[in-house]
Amino acid sequence: MRKKPSCVVIDDDGILRNLMAALMRRLEFDVLGEASHAHDGLRMCMDFHPQLVLLDINLPESNGLELLPQILRLSPAPKVIMVTGEPTLDKVKEALSLGASGIIVKPFTPAKLIGEVNLALGLHL
C-alpha cells in the first residue's frame, strides 16, 4: 500500500485553513496538523516532518516569510507553498528567493491549489 503524502496547513484564517485542509484530505493527503500561529506551525513541522507545508505569508506574531527559512532547515525539508492575499511583486520575489516552491493568491480555486501542489511535489493529482 502506497503511503499518503503528508502536509501541515498554517493560516490564521480559520475558515480558509479548514478549507485547505479539507481539500488536501480529498486529495488523499495525510493532514498532520493545522495551525493559526507561526510558533504552533513550526512546532508541528518539527514534530511531524510533513512533505508539504501550506504557509500563509501574514500571520500573527510573525510572518510566513520569517518562518519559511526555519521550516526549510528541517531535515528532510518539506516543500512549502506560500499563501497570500497581498501578492505584491516584492513579497512573491522574496518568498521564491527564500526557497518557496510556489505561491497561491487568495482567493483561489481548488484547481489552482491542486496545480501548485502538483508542481511542488511532482505529482499528478
Side-chain angles (χ1 to χ4, degrees), residues 2 5 21-29 110 113-114 117 125:
R2 182 176 71 91
L23 181 58
M24 297 308 291
R25 285 185 186 98
R26 200 168 348 140
L27 295 173
E28 298 188 6
F29 272 71
L113 178 62
I114 292 167
V117 169
L125 303 173

Side-chain angles (χ1 to χ4, degrees), residues 31-117:
V31 178
L32 303 173
E34 299 176 40
S36 59
H37 291 81
H39 175 43
D40 296 336
L42 180 59
R43 172 67 43 210
M44 286 178 188
C45 291
M46 292 168 66
D47 290 346
F48 302 132
H49 303 283
Q51 291 171 278
L52 176 70
V53 177
L54 300 176
L55 176 59
D56 189 9
I57 286 180
N58 295 313
L59 293 168
E61 312 159 0
S62 178
N63 73 52
L65 294 174
E66 293 169 357
L67 187 58
L68 177 60
Q70 296 174 62
I71 291 173
L72 292 176
R73 279 195 291 270
L74 299 174
S75 181
K79 299 293 185 180
V80 180
I81 297 174
M82 304 302 293
V83 182
T84 184
E86 301 174 33
T88 64
L89 189 56
D90 288 345
K91 283 191 179 184
V92 169
K93 279 182 174 178
E94 185 176 358
L96 293 173
S97 72
L98 290 171
S101 297
I103 306 278
I104 298 173
V105 178
K106 299 176 190 177
F108 56 85
T109 63
K112 176 64 176 165
L113 178 62
I114 292 167
E116 287 297 323
V117 169

